[in-house]
Amino acid sequence: MRPALLDPLFASLDTLPGVGPKLGELFARLFGRESVEECRVLDLLFHAPHAIVDRRHQPGIANSPAGAIVTIKGRVDRHQPPPPGRASLPTRVFIQDETGELALTFFKVKGNWLEKSLPIDETVIVSGKVDWFNGRASMVHPDLMVLEADAASMAMVEPVYGLTAGLSQKVLRRTLEAALARLPALPEWQDDAFLRKQGFEPAREAFLALHAPRDATDIDPQAPARRRLAYDEFLAGQLSLSLVRQRLRAVPGTPVRGTGALTRPVLDALPFTLTGSQRQAVADVTADMAKDERMLRLLQGDVGSGKTAVALMAMLAAVEAGGQAALMAPTEILARQHHATLSRMAAPAGITIDILTGRTKSRERDAVLERIASGETQIVIGTHALFQDTVAYHRLLLAVVDEQHRFGVHQRLRLTAKGVSPHMLVMTATPIPRTLVLAAFGDMDVSKLTEKPAGRKPIQTVTLPTERIGEMVERLRAAIAEGKKIYWICPLVEESEESDLMSAEERFQTLVAALGPVAGLVHGRMAGAEKDAAMLAFKSGETRLLVATTVVEVGVDVPDATIMVIEHAERFGLAQLHQLRGRVGRGDAASSCILLYKGPLSQTAHARLSILRDTEDGFVIAEEDLKLRGEGELLGTRQSGTPGFRLASLEAHADLLETARKDAAYIIERDPDLTTPRGEALRTLLYLFRRDEAIRFLRAG
């Protein structure tokens, strides 16, 4: 049960004064929720300001720099309404100080509120952005206007918040004040000695200070209030991961000891030998699976580093031990591809491999479910469909999850809830920096594949401005004549009015016009069957050039594709560019990647393209990407069970994450059920940061 003292913070946002349906809709958009009913008062408290407006800057009218926000004290000289019948023209009010004159400009003025707010001959204080036209200063719709007599009520320093179209700072601030008024005194969940050492104030005071900055240093991520709350958020995350881990560990695993009867013939038949890091990963995994407690291991490997072979060895060990293995992929295309690859690789072992996805037809589906339940199916590959309630396994010993960041901690637990407690191997082709591994998966052992399989050649990467696209199409004509296969990636599906990006459909038309019917098209809006057909035509060589959106990013395997063109490369993130580039260079032929960009490039885009040109090491690229973009983007969407931190930042607060991890381990060791006074307070912390699913795993509650 959530502690009652948090109820005011978990009330719906529309319980705050002034938040009706219209304003509620804006807040829902701001917080990325479906409706205002899903927004909580808490969401506002977590919405930290990113800048301040300092109204203490009072240079005088003549000395006000163009574009700056200034505060002016002056006497109201005259009002100049628009001429009769010209209501679309603005009303101007002129004020003067000892240095000059300023025109305050107002559009669509109704009634006499201006005369009341700015009476002639009164001294007033106004604040806003100054512009200069023909040597005259003007301020359009000042942010603040008060009579000198009322100046004490004017806030001279104001926080600036992220907004959405239609929502103003003023309205957000007013709603936030109402939210802050509901903030209760919170119990102290941090260790006293730690608080003193860091100089942290209590959590309630930290929230109040976060929203009442006095100068620029208070907005800095290193400001004490922000650091205090960042640590709270990290601790909530690490503690919930530890509790989940404790629960997963509490369900004993079945020791799996392979006999080698299936792995040996498969290894002997492979056309390559495993790399050193693949052999190490297989040893790590099989050692973990032989233990009584369940394996929970993350296998990180760059694009093309051979994760599939490692997963297959682990799955064969499970089958050798008399059990079943399941591999879950995030998309239909990927599941089918894994099925094709693994069926081919495992053929010498003569085992039964089935596939189950959302698109499996009902009669076929019933047959597959029957084979899984009887144990006839030894390895099953599929999408989320594998973990639905209708699927009963005969003896599932190993679950392999591909592209973990698309699945949250919850999906991992759903497996456990089925009364099945398989060992778990999680694979990702997104090389994740250590800090992120800690934050997202703090509960996992990690194996890294750092070498490319033998025979893979480096990919030559070049950047090219879009003006030279004509030359490039001619080079592609020659490449196609030599029998080469080419990917051409576009950022959009179809052209939109506002966008100057080239859409996939439009680029497809221009390439067919230039090169003839050698091109195919695949994008996310096509029906599954159409996509499969387009991919198949490219794979078989019926088409030589595939125009695609980023649907080919993960795992589409065409080993003889050697050229990758990425249009508007400046619009993609580093990790994504690296993933896309990894679709070529999978065979033994020399491959190249052409990054087409539209200048002028921003500093970040320039840095991105340079890093990509200079290195193929996914781990270096991931570290750089984290510096350039921050963690929310790196793991894909916020909703995918990844750490969408609201107040903590992995770049700014990495030192705190390490401390939080140790603190969580210490707490779990001393107080596994959170029943001590600090433990009770920590339960409140878990609810506050919405990590309460972890509380369900406490034996006591």
Side-chain angles (χ1 to χ4, degrees):
M1 285 289 287
R2 185 172 64 224
L5 101 152
L6 293 181
D7 289 349
L9 302 184
F10 280 87
S12 173
L13 209 51
D14 53 14
T15 60
L16 291 174
V19 183
K22 200 171 167 191
L23 188 54
E25 205 174 296
L26 295 176
F27 277 119
R29 197 184 317 149
L30 178 66
F31 297 131
R33 302 278 200 288
E34 291 294 309
S35 65
V36 68
E37 287 76 33
E38 288 179 30
C39 299
R40 301 281 165 258
V41 170
L42 193 63
D43 289 322
L44 268 173
L45 302 186
F46 284 149
H47 191 55
H50 59 79
I52 58 166
V53 174
D54 191 342
R55 302 193 192 282
R56 294 173 295 198
H57 183 41
Q58 303 189 21
I61 294 171
N63 306 319
S64 295
I69 289 181
V70 297
T71 302
I72 300 291
K73 180 172 159 180
R75 185 184 61 80
V76 179
D77 183 52
R78 63 194 188 282
H79 284 235
Q80 185 186 313
R86 306 289 302 277
S88 61
L89 292 176
T91 298
R92 290 195 166 85
V93 178
F94 294 89
I95 68 170
Q96 293 176 340
D97 68 5
E98 56 276 16
T99 69
E101 183 174 72
L102 172 71
L104 305 177
T105 307
F106 301 91
F107 291 91
K108 296 185 180 165
V109 175
K110 291 201 168 62
N112 63 346
W113 73 273
L114 265 184
E115 286 88 343
K116 281 184 175 168
S117 311
L118 301 167
I120 291 176
D121 279 338
E122 284 283 350
T123 300
V124 296
I125 296 174
V126 296
S127 185
K129 190 170 99 181
V130 169
D131 289 304
W132 287 84
F133 299 104
N134 302 328
R136 294 180 161 194
S138 112
M139 190 183 279
V140 179
H141 286 276
D143 305 329
L144 276 180
M145 306 187 301
V146 293
L147 298 173
E148 188 183 25
D150 303 330
S153 67
M154 179 169 154
M156 297 310 270
V157 178
E158 282 189 8
V160 178
Y161 294 89
L163 299 171
T164 185
L167 185 62
S168 70
Q169 291 289 347
K170 198 170 171 184
V171 169
L172 184 125
R173 183 73 207 167
R174 191 179 64 222
T175 317
L176 190 83
E177 299 279 347
L180 285 166
R182 295 199 177 177
L183 192 59
L186 296 161
E188 188 49 80
W189 43 71
Q190 299 296 4
D191 175 66
D192 279 345
F194 174 73
L195 288 179
R196 281 198 303 278
K197 186 179 163 195
Q198 294 280 344
F200 286 164
E201 51 196 340
R204 180 174 188 274
E205 281 62 32
F207 273 114
L208 296 172
L210 180 74
H211 293 288
R214 294 177 304 280
D215 54 43
T217 56
D218 291 341
I219 291 292
D220 191 286
Q222 300 304 344
R226 183 66 176 258
R227 272 180 72 82
R228 153 84 216 218
L229 296 169
Y231 187 75
D232 288 341
E233 186 164 23
F234 278 153
L235 184 61
Q238 292 300 306
L239 196 55
S240 77
L241 286 170
S242 298
L243 288 166
V244 168
R245 176 70 171 244
Q246 178 183 290
R247 167 64 183 261
L248 291 177
R249 289 273 190 244
V251 182
T254 309
V256 170
R257 297 185 182 90
T259 60
L262 302 172
T263 41
R264 261 194 304 279
V266 170
L267 277 172
D268 292 343
L270 285 179
F272 54 84
T273 52
L274 297 187
T275 64
S277 53
Q278 279 177 312
R279 285 198 299 274
Q280 183 57 54
V282 171
D284 289 344
V285 170
T286 48
D288 278 3
M289 286 166 64
K291 293 177 187 163
D292 289 340
E293 51 179 48
R294 298 170 58 198
M295 168 176 78
L296 200 53
R297 184 170 281 278
L298 179 67
L299 177 62
Q300 278 188 274
D302 214 337
V303 178
S305 59
K307 291 181 297 297
T308 316
V310 175
L312 177 59
M313 294 307 131
M315 293 196 283
L316 291 174
V319 177
E320 287 169 356
Q324 294 168 298
L327 187 153
M328 174 160 90
T331 65
E332 176 95 20
I333 283 190
L334 213 54
R336 296 203 173 277
Q337 192 170 295
H338 275 311
H339 182 245
T341 309
L342 290 168
S343 300
R344 191 174 64 244
M345 285 166 78
I351 57 175
T352 310
I353 302 186
D354 263 315
I355 181 162
L356 183 67
T357 71
R359 275 173 42 209
T360 308
K361 302 278 187 295
S362 61
R363 187 181 302 165
E364 190 188 336
R365 182 187 195 84
D366 292 343
V368 172
L369 289 176
E370 206 168 295
R371 289 200 294 274
I372 293 172
S374 71
E376 187 189 330
T377 295
Q378 291 157 300
I379 293 179
V380 58
I381 293 160
T383 52
H384 291 79
L386 292 179
F387 296 144
Q388 280 160 359
D389 297 338
T390 48
V391 187
Y393 290 91
H394 177 67
R395 189 170 182 239
L396 184 65
L397 292 183
L398 172 69
V400 181
V401 180
D402 193 16
E403 288 305 325
Q404 155 73 23
H405 62 272
R406 314 274 173 109
F407 308 107
V409 175
H410 306 288
Q411 280 97 328
R412 303 214 297 255
L413 290 167
R414 269 183 57 191
L415 259 180
T416 319
K418 298 186 70 155
V420 184
S421 53
H423 295 282
M424 213 163 224
L425 178 66
V426 167
M427 307 196 292
T428 177
T430 311
I432 310 173
R434 178 178 151 64
T435 42
L436 257 184
V437 171
L438 263 183
F441 315 114
D443 57 338
M444 288 193 158
D445 303 307
V446 180
S447 292
K448 277 185 183 181
L449 297 182
T450 49
E451 305 156 79
K452 285 249 166 100
R456 293 268 170 103
K457 291 193 170 62
I459 300 167
Q460 188 199 359
T461 303
V462 293
T463 50
L464 202 67
T466 25
E467 294 79 55
R468 294 176 55 191
I469 211 160
E471 290 168 47
M472 202 187 64
V473 171
E474 286 313 306
R475 278 169 46 200
L476 296 184
R477 185 192 303 283
I480 289 170
E482 289 167 23
K484 291 184 173 162
K485 284 188 188 170
I486 302 151
Y487 285 108
W488 186 304
I489 306 297
C490 296
L492 292 175
V493 178
E494 57 205 30
E495 190 73 21
S496 69
E497 291 298 312
E498 315 79 87
S499 165
D500 58 348
L501 298 182
M502 176 61 87
S503 73
E505 291 183 341
E506 201 178 338
R507 177 54 73 206
F508 171 67
Q509 306 294 344
T510 62
L511 288 170
V512 168
L515 302 170
V518 290
L521 173 69
V522 61
H523 58 69
R525 289 205 201 145
M526 289 161 72
E530 270 183 285
K531 262 191 266 192
D532 293 349
M535 287 304 309
L536 200 64
F538 182 55
K539 212 169 169 155
S540 67
E542 201 180 309
T543 54
R544 290 267 154 203
L545 189 154
L546 185 67
V547 179
T549 52
T550 52
V551 288
V552 303
E553 180 188 341
V554 270
V556 174
D557 197 15
V558 182
D560 55 345
T562 54
I563 300 173
M564 167 64 72
V565 179
I566 302 174
E567 191 166 354
H568 279 291
E570 76 280 1
R571 294 298 182 105
F572 293 94
L574 246 181
Q576 200 176 26
L577 287 169
H578 178 61
Q579 285 271 350
L580 288 166
R581 172 170 66 180
R583 298 292 108 222
V584 295
R586 299 173 83 83
D588 44 18
S591 294
S592 52
C593 174
I594 297 118
L595 304 173
L596 280 175
Y597 66 88
K598 186 174 194 298
L601 290 176
S602 70
Q603 215 176 338
T604 308
H606 191 275
R608 237 178 242 161
L609 299 186
S610 305
I611 290 161
L612 211 71
R613 215 175 37 213
D614 299 342
T615 179
E616 270 193 76
D617 184 328
F619 290 96
V620 171
I621 286 172
E623 293 289 352
E624 292 298 329
D625 205 20
L626 184 59
K627 284 182 202 152
L628 289 175
R629 285 200 303 168
E631 71 277 357
E633 297 295 315
L634 201 59
L635 289 178
T637 58
R638 287 279 179 192
Q639 282 74 29
S640 56
T642 63
F645 292 117
R646 306 288 302 269
L647 297 168
S649 142
L650 289 178
E651 299 110 298
H653 306 125
D655 59 318
L656 294 175
L657 178 60
E658 193 59 55
T659 314
R661 187 176 70 95
K662 289 176 181 158
D663 198 7
Y666 171 81
I667 292 160
I668 293 294
E669 197 181 313
R670 295 294 174 96
D671 182 16
D673 296 328
L674 302 187
T675 48
T676 63
R678 184 182 179 198
E680 288 293 341
L682 284 163
R683 290 178 179 231
T684 306
L685 168 76
L686 289 169
Y687 278 109
L688 183 69
F689 282 96
R690 294 189 161 133
R691 301 284 187 160
D692 39 295
E693 74 275 359
I695 292 176
R696 294 206 302 276
F697 301 121
L698 288 168
R699 284 186 290 263

